[in-house]
Amino acid sequence: MKETEKVIVVNDLTKKFGSFTAVDQISFETRKGEIFGFLGANGAGKTTAMKMLIGISKPTSGEAIVNGFDVKTQPEKVKKTIGYMSQKFSMYDDLNIMENITFFGGIYGLSRKEIKERGEAVIEKLGLREVAKKQVGSLPLGWKQKLAFSVALLHEPKVVFLDEPTGGVDPITRRQFWEMIYAEADKGTTIFVTTHYMDEAEYCNRVSIMVEGKIEALDSPKNLKKQFDASSMDEVFQKLARNVE
Amino acid sequence: MLRPWMRCSKNWRAMWNNFKSKFLGTNFKRFMGFVKKEFYHIFRDKRSMFILFGMPIAQILLFGFAITNEIKNVNIGILDKSKDSETIHITNRISSSPYFKIKNIVSSEQQIEAIFKKGQVKAVLVFEKDFGKNLKSTNLANVQIISDATDPNTANTVTNYIQSILQDYQREINLGIPGREPIEVRSRMFYNPELKGVFNFLPGVMTVILMLVSAMMTSISIAREKEQGTMEVLLVSPLKPLQVIIGKVFPYIFLSIINAIVILLLGFVVFGMPVQGSYFLLALETVLFILCALSLGILISIISKTQQTAMMISLMGLMLPIILLSGFIFPVSSMPWPLQAISNIIPAKWYNLILKGVMIKGVGLRFLWKETLILLGMTVFFIVLSIKKYKIRLE
Amino acid sequence: MQALRDITFEVKPGELFGLIGPDGAGKTTLFRILTTLLFADEGTASVAGMDVVGDYRDIRKAVGYMPGRFSLYQDLSVEENLDFFATIFGTTVEENYDLIKDIYIQIEPFKKRRVVALSGGMKQKLALSCALIHKPKVLFLDEPTTGVDPVSRREFWDMLKRLNSTGITVLVSTPYMDEAELCNRIALIQEGELLVVDSPENIVANHTDSLYKVAAKNTYMLIKDLKDFKGNKSVYAFGEFIHYTHSNSDFSEERLGEYLEAKGHEDIKIVKARAGIEDVFMALSEKKGTEV
């Protein structure tokens, strides 16, 4: 990574729900073209933190700058310049591939020409030409997720947020998905990703692990393993999360 | 000395337990466990509680006070081309009745349309020239009622009321004059002489609410189990289909009966609606209708996978036809024949007839056996169909 | 659509049997057939000696089933849920408390709390308690760990192991390949077909492809270059390494090392390694893919 341009800058970001602190003063930065793994147990505050970063949840205190925009005061600008894809919802099952592309391209203000060109390119690249007229719901999950990732990148955002993008996907497609992530990062897009597969944590340039609302560890997988005297990221994770209980 | 009593109660309990284990066994326990759970669902869901208890009261009051087809203080206009003692007399009579208020006195036909367009009056009464003279000399005088039929129901009622005032007047002036008995149209309103709208609406509202509570709530509650995935676990359990169905229905029978009582009490206390016939018959027929509605609810829930579908079918498939075709708002007899035919398959129509029969006319089963039998037949049909359609597996 | 094709397997009494495959492989359909919820188009199946079609009533008494989604009543408390499921199976919580004690004790402090307010881990424990409360002979758990974080997953498997040691036969499905080694025997399933049924040890031992772990500084370029390496059979990212297999015996670590160096890679590591279940799964499903 030659660039040092900061894409996400988070300072003491906090979210409280009544007396419960879901996210507790987290701070981190991500650089251009970085694959940033965002890990944590269920209920550790990952989702809440991510919602703040993509501008759909207002921080209680602290700040987060995404692509130079403050998520607190300029959430609409943040939303325009990021890509987002989640396991739960990525595309409309009852629309076909091109209809989905057109819809999402339209949301992000792409011109008709751009949508057509980029849409065709995606279909070509993923080898979906034969099924382009099929409803997305009838595609295998793996294809759907690869397509959703491409659609999230359609408007060429500087950073893309992936919320458990590979959950339940078969092992081979999971690898292909990660190869797409690598390729995109290589082009300079920052990837912000959550996952429950610990081997995927190893693919990230840097990984943060959240425990009970706080970031308890943040470094490259290599350094984290050294720091926790562990042989795998799984072990790092187990050690960190168990210590707390 | 509490001891003997305690022994007694223990005995009773022992006997009851004995009875349970002998005749009902674990199946009974299973069933009661299920019913208990259903009550938890109902009492913990604010929406259910509102539909069960808030809505009936709100609807009764709404229909009772606001949306009646009774008329009161309707504005009318007068075009009096004669201006003699007779027309003034009639005009006074009309304005002194509680139904009408004379808003405009117009002087020409052209003005009539203008006041209609402004919406100032619902009807205009036109006396012909020399009205009094004609009446005295030939006993034949013309009066014209022009009404605003934008709302045909009201127009009809207004016209009828004015006619009856005119007829009363005519009868009076003819009294004691021999040989002067013109053909007289006697119309008398039976059973509901004051034409109180509430008496007509209350049975209708009761029908709608019982249908809503029984059919919609049951159907949603079964569909909810499917949606949440709990149905899958219930299916893979020793619970029998019948136990699930009756367990679902049981709480609603209970709640619907309470509802019916609340509605009748409200009708009596707030609107003075009497029950002319037998209370016992009323209760029986009501329970029959509740069962019919519940079995319909089960049928809906069996064919719908999600709460949303169940709700849509209940609202579009049940509520609308009930409101429109059961005779609740629009009289069945004035519908075109295809709609009349369709109205026959709506249980609510028959219950509405029964209710009106028992509550307003005060007739007994001798006059209502046909309607009762039809309801009974429908209930059996729905139950049989439900059991046939109930799936012991997914898909 | 054909969700399952020609499935044949046996589970022995007291086994902890894993059905492993990605979403859409047919795991749920298979479990639903075995728990009498669906009919198979062809073929037969029996559970605890009873036919899934003819004896469905008896099977329903004898099995415990935890569907993929937590099927608990959200508006009922922990205690009320457990009571309810005990009652409909004709038993009481006290009667079989021993069986669930280990698991239930962890959520007992929250027994008055409604399920809707429980954390995912607690819901999972309650669902398991509810599925166990009638002391089933066979327990079916459909993807109990999907979407669950690694720590909670491990805890859950510890519970399963303890349960299994009391003699209950357990069938569990999962998309996580790393859970395979926790089972006595497993079936790998992909697109409605079983790839292999055996113990995890045997499956790995019977896999003959030589596997090499490769690492270099730039992982993305490494994958690209390995895919261009002549004679490559498979190139898959695996944690910090790339798992590489060659299509023929004509392979030497030196030659690959030189090739990568020439491509400008730094910090190159090439180590021969043992294949894991996931390697086997991918190799088998690739093979299936080329056969079709």
Side-chain angles (χ1 to χ4, degrees):
Chain A
M1 242 148 315
K2 44 196 187 301
E3 293 91 348
T4 46
E5 188 187 320
K6 292 166 186 168
V7 179
I8 304 175
V9 181
V10 175
N11 273 319
D12 292 333
L13 193 66
T14 302
K15 178 82 185 185
K16 289 184 181 169
F17 297 107
S19 62
F20 172 67
T21 308
V23 175
D24 194 0
Q25 296 194 313
I26 59 169
S27 302
F28 64 88
E29 290 171 358
T30 64
R31 293 180 292 265
K32 187 173 182 225
E34 185 176 31
I35 304 177
F36 189 83
F38 200 57
L39 312 186
N42 299 111
K46 266 181 315 180
T47 311
T48 312
M50 190 134 152
K51 277 185 181 162
M52 288 191 278
L53 294 181
I54 60 175
I56 58 173
S57 169
K58 212 169 182 180
T60 310
S61 64
E63 67 163 8
I65 310 292
V66 177
N67 287 332
F69 300 113
D70 188 333
V71 297
K72 220 173 192 169
T73 54
Q74 302 164 293
E76 295 314 312
K77 290 203 167 126
V78 169
K79 286 180 202 169
K80 260 184 210 158
T81 53
I82 60 166
Y84 174 70
M85 163 201 171
S86 86
Q87 182 200 7
K88 284 172 201 105
F89 171 80
S90 46
M91 276 177 302
Y92 293 97
D93 278 347
D94 53 352
L95 299 184
N96 72 28
I97 294 176
M98 202 55 205
E99 285 162 352
N100 264 297
I101 291 176
T102 310
F103 174 76
F104 284 104
I107 295 185
Y108 286 103
L110 296 188
S111 72
R112 214 178 274 184
K113 194 167 151 248
E114 283 170 319
I115 291 174
K116 197 165 166 21
E117 280 171 9
R118 295 183 197 177
E120 292 294 326
V122 166
I123 290 174
E124 209 53 57
K125 193 178 86 191
L126 296 176
L128 295 172
R129 174 67 58 209
E130 276 174 35
V131 291
K133 287 272 179 286
K134 272 196 179 171
Q135 292 194 356
V136 164
S138 66
L139 299 179
L141 177 71
W143 296 22
K144 221 159 62 179
Q145 297 302 80
K146 282 198 277 184
L147 178 62
F149 180 58
S150 306
V151 170
L153 292 168
L154 217 56
H155 59 294
E156 294 170 347
K158 285 191 208 146
V159 54
V160 59
F161 291 85
L162 309 174
D163 193 2
E164 283 186 47
T166 54
V169 174
D170 71 88
I172 295 178
T173 315
R174 211 146 65 78
R175 263 84 193 176
Q176 293 167 347
F177 194 93
W178 271 93
E179 282 164 31
M180 287 173 70
I181 291 182
Y182 276 129
E184 199 53 40
D186 200 56
K187 280 198 256 167
T189 311
T190 303
I191 314 282
F192 187 96
V193 60
T194 72
T195 180
H196 280 323
Y197 293 97
M198 282 305 118
D199 59 326
E200 291 186 349
E202 312 255 9
Y203 307 157
C204 302
N205 300 120
R206 284 191 309 146
V207 169
S208 81
I209 301 178
M210 269 185 94
V211 180
E212 292 181 350
K214 292 194 174 76
I215 291 184
E216 291 292 338
L218 200 174
D219 212 329
S220 68
K222 207 180 225 168
N223 291 342
L224 283 177
K225 281 183 274 185
K226 215 180 278 166
Q227 186 188 335
F228 287 88
D229 189 25
S231 65
S232 68
M233 278 307 290
D234 189 36
E235 214 180 315
V236 171
F237 191 86
Q238 301 280 351
K239 278 188 171 167
L240 247 181
R242 291 217 168 184
N243 274 346
V244 180
E245 285 178 11
Chain B
M1 283 294 284
L2 276 165
R3 270 172 186 268
W5 160 247
M6 277 175 71
R7 195 172 305 141
C8 175
S9 94
K10 260 184 194 161
N11 267 341
W12 272 108
R13 180 170 284 186
M15 275 171 70
W16 169 238
N17 282 339
N18 190 21
F19 171 77
K20 275 200 302 192
S21 61
K22 244 191 196 141
F23 297 98
L24 307 158
T26 43
N27 271 333
F28 182 74
K29 258 190 169 167
R30 257 174 218 164
F31 175 70
M32 287 317 286
F34 198 89
V35 170
K36 192 165 105 186
K37 174 191 80 91
E38 288 309 310
F39 272 112
Y40 283 146
H41 288 324
I42 296 167
F43 289 132
R44 285 176 188 178
D45 183 24
K46 286 194 188 108
R47 270 185 310 173
S48 299
M49 290 303 280
F50 175 73
I51 292 180
L52 275 174
F53 298 106
M55 207 147 80
I57 295 171
Q59 280 209 13
I60 287 285
L61 297 180
L62 202 70
F63 277 116
F65 285 122
I67 318 165
T68 65
N69 54 10
E70 179 183 350
I71 58 167
K72 229 177 225 171
N73 288 329
V74 170
N75 289 330
I76 62 167
I78 302 280
L79 172 55
D80 193 346
K81 295 178 184 167
S82 167
K83 291 205 175 93
D84 49 37
S85 65
E86 279 76 15
T87 59
I88 290 169
H89 193 85
I90 293 173
T91 309
N92 283 342
R93 257 181 186 243
I94 289 174
S95 71
S96 65
S97 86
Y99 310 120
F100 301 109
K101 225 165 80 185
I102 295 182
K103 170 105 180 170
N104 292 62
I105 308 276
V106 292
S107 51
S108 72
E109 255 100 5
Q110 287 80 14
Q111 284 178 306
I112 294 178
E113 207 177 337
I115 57 171
F116 271 137
K117 276 192 175 154
K118 282 185 197 151
Q120 285 172 337
V121 294
K122 289 277 177 213
V124 176
L125 192 61
V126 185
F127 294 103
E128 68 173 342
K129 212 163 186 269
D130 301 327
F131 179 89
K133 214 192 270 172
N134 291 345
L135 192 66
K136 275 177 201 147
S137 57
T138 61
N139 195 24
L140 196 71
N142 285 317
V143 59
Q144 187 185 16
I145 306 167
I146 306 172
S147 59
D148 174 3
T150 326
D151 174 0
N153 272 339
T154 314
N156 223 343
T157 322
V158 166
T159 312
N160 283 337
Y161 275 45
I162 296 177
Q163 259 172 8
S164 82
I165 291 174
L166 289 173
Q167 275 167 6
D168 277 352
Y169 174 75
Q170 199 174 5
R171 215 169 24 228
E172 267 172 37
I173 57 168
N174 286 345
L175 268 181
I177 303 174
R180 269 195 161 189
E181 283 183 21
I183 297 164
E184 189 182 328
V185 183
R186 280 172 190 268
S187 78
R188 216 182 115 203
M189 302 288 181
F190 266 74
Y191 309 121
N192 187 1
E194 292 161 76
L195 280 176
K196 274 212 158 185
V198 132
F199 288 6
N200 196 27
F201 270 103
L202 201 113
V205 173
M206 183 149 152
T207 314
V208 170
I209 289 172
L210 289 183
M211 199 58 164
L212 186 78
V213 168
S214 313
M216 192 163 92
M217 302 281 281
T218 340
S219 66
I220 290 176
S221 95
I222 296 185
R224 186 165 67 171
E225 301 247 10
K226 291 189 194 172
E227 211 174 295
Q228 289 188 338
T230 41
M231 196 49 134
E232 231 174 302
V233 182
L234 291 185
L235 282 173
V236 188
S237 83
L239 272 179
K240 297 191 180 81
L242 207 63
Q243 283 175 322
V244 174
I245 289 183
I246 298 179
K248 279 278 170 200
V249 161
F250 190 81
Y252 290 104
I253 297 182
F254 184 77
L255 294 168
S256 299
I257 290 173
I258 292 182
N259 247 317
I261 294 172
V262 169
I263 295 169
L264 287 176
L265 274 178
L266 265 181
F268 182 74
V269 175
V270 182
F271 301 107
M273 167 115 193
V275 176
Q276 306 282 6
S278 142
Y279 282 95
F280 181 68
L281 182 64
L282 183 66
L284 271 186
E285 299 279 8
T286 303
V287 170
L288 176 62
F289 179 65
I290 289 172
L291 287 178
C292 184
L294 287 172
S295 49
L296 195 55
I298 291 166
L299 191 62
I300 293 173
S301 71
I302 284 171
I303 53 178
S304 44
K305 271 188 185 158
T306 61
Q307 296 184 66
Q308 213 183 350
T309 325
M311 179 96 89
M312 286 298 278
I313 298 180
S314 303
L315 283 178
M316 304 302 287
L318 288 180
M319 300 311 294
L320 283 182
I322 287 171
I323 291 175
L324 299 178
L325 298 179
S326 69
F328 166 30
I329 291 179
F330 309 111
V332 175
S333 55
S334 60
M335 289 174 197
W337 71 265
L339 287 184
Q340 285 199 34
I342 293 172
S343 77
N344 284 331
I345 59 163
I346 295 174
K349 175 196 163 175
W350 304 105
Y351 179 62
N352 210 9
L353 286 176
I354 293 172
L355 267 188
K356 282 183 181 166
V358 178
M359 292 176 77
I360 304 176
K361 292 187 202 163
V363 296
L365 201 55
R366 204 151 62 86
F367 292 93
L368 298 170
W369 63 270
K370 199 181 82 185
E371 286 84 354
T372 310
L373 220 56
I374 292 174
L375 267 190
L376 197 66
M378 286 178 165
T379 311
V380 172
F381 175 74
F382 292 140
I383 291 177
V384 170
L385 201 61
S386 298
I387 292 177
K388 280 214 160 156
K389 288 253 168 186
Y390 184 87
K391 290 173 192 111
I392 51 166
R393 292 185 167 81
L394 293 171
E395 291 313 303
Chain C
M1 200 195 85
Q2 215 173 355
L4 290 174
R5 258 187 310 275
D6 294 330
I7 302 281
T8 304
F9 71 101
E10 273 177 16
V11 178
K12 299 185 185 84
E15 224 169 27
L16 178 53
F17 188 89
L19 183 63
I20 299 171
D23 283 7
K27 302 188 297 290
T28 301
T29 309
L30 181 54
F31 270 24
R32 283 180 173 169
I33 290 173
L34 294 177
T35 50
T36 77
L37 284 171
L38 284 179
F39 284 127
D41 298 327
E42 283 166 44
T44 57
S46 72
V47 173
M50 297 172 279
D51 183 63
V52 291
V53 179
D55 308 323
Y56 78 93
R57 270 181 204 282
D58 295 312
I59 291 185
R60 289 179 184 191
K61 282 178 199 153
V63 305
Y65 174 47
M66 186 170 142
R69 295 176 293 163
F70 296 122
S71 41
L72 298 162
Y73 293 100
Q74 304 286 329
D75 53 343
L76 264 53
S77 71
V78 169
E79 200 176 34
E80 285 161 356
N81 265 289
L82 192 63
D83 260 342
F84 172 71
F85 285 105
T87 317
I88 64 166
F89 278 96
T91 180
T92 58
V93 176
E94 293 76 39
E95 206 172 315
N96 292 320
Y97 189 73
D98 283 347
L99 197 62
I100 59 160
K101 195 179 158 194
D102 257 7
I103 305 158
Y104 188 62
I105 210 146
Q106 304 173 51
I107 45 172
E108 207 159 20
F110 313 102
K111 65 181 181 185
K112 298 279 179 217
R113 198 184 278 186
R114 303 231 175 122
V115 166
V116 72
L118 293 183
S119 74
M122 291 200 273
K123 278 185 198 166
Q124 192 189 37
K125 282 167 192 156
L126 177 58
L128 184 59
S129 302
C130 290
L132 274 173
I133 194 63
H134 60 291
K135 208 175 180 187
K137 286 188 193 131
V138 187
L139 185 62
F140 289 90
L141 306 172
D142 192 11
E143 299 206 26
T145 54
T146 295
V148 175
D149 66 76
V151 175
S152 309
R153 264 163 60 193
R154 189 156 300 183
E155 275 180 13
F156 192 81
W157 275 95
D158 289 343
M159 289 190 292
L160 280 192
K161 283 266 176 203
R162 280 201 298 276
L163 257 181
N164 182 237
S165 66
T166 65
I168 295 180
T169 308
V170 182
L171 273 84
V172 55
S173 71
T174 176
Y176 298 106
M177 303 282 154
D178 56 348
E179 290 176 354
E181 59 198 75
L182 302 165
C183 305
N184 300 129
R185 288 198 315 135
I186 56 169
L188 298 182
I189 185 169
Q190 164 95 327
E191 288 171 2
E193 287 178 72
L194 292 187
L195 299 172
V196 64
V197 184
D198 208 334
S199 69
E201 299 78 25
N202 286 346
I203 289 178
V204 169
N206 291 338
H207 190 65
T208 49
D209 290 357
S210 330
L211 185 90
Y212 298 89
K213 283 182 176 178
V214 187
K217 205 169 179 186
N218 186 333
T219 316
Y220 172 58
M221 288 313 292
L222 181 64
I223 293 174
K224 266 191 154 174
D225 291 334
L226 282 173
K227 283 192 168 173
D228 290 338
F229 188 56
K230 220 176 149 210
N232 81 80
K233 186 177 174 189
S234 68
V235 179
Y236 292 124
F238 249 93
E240 58 185 317
F241 293 99
I242 308 297
H243 284 193
Y244 177 86
T245 58
H246 207 70
S247 55
N248 48 44
S249 50
D250 171 35
F251 176 83
S252 81
E253 291 164 45
E254 289 80 25
R255 214 157 54 79
L256 180 62
E258 280 161 18
Y259 164 81
L260 290 175
E261 226 156 51
K263 288 274 178 185
H265 283 281
E266 297 167 53
D267 303 338
I268 302 166
K269 262 186 257 172
I270 304 173
V271 195
K272 195 165 192 308
R274 253 188 65 200
I277 290 291
E278 194 157 0
D279 295 299
V280 180
F281 186 96
M282 289 194 286
L284 290 175
S285 64
E286 282 250 297
K287 208 166 115 197
K288 194 134 237 166
T290 52
E291 275 169 12
V292 170

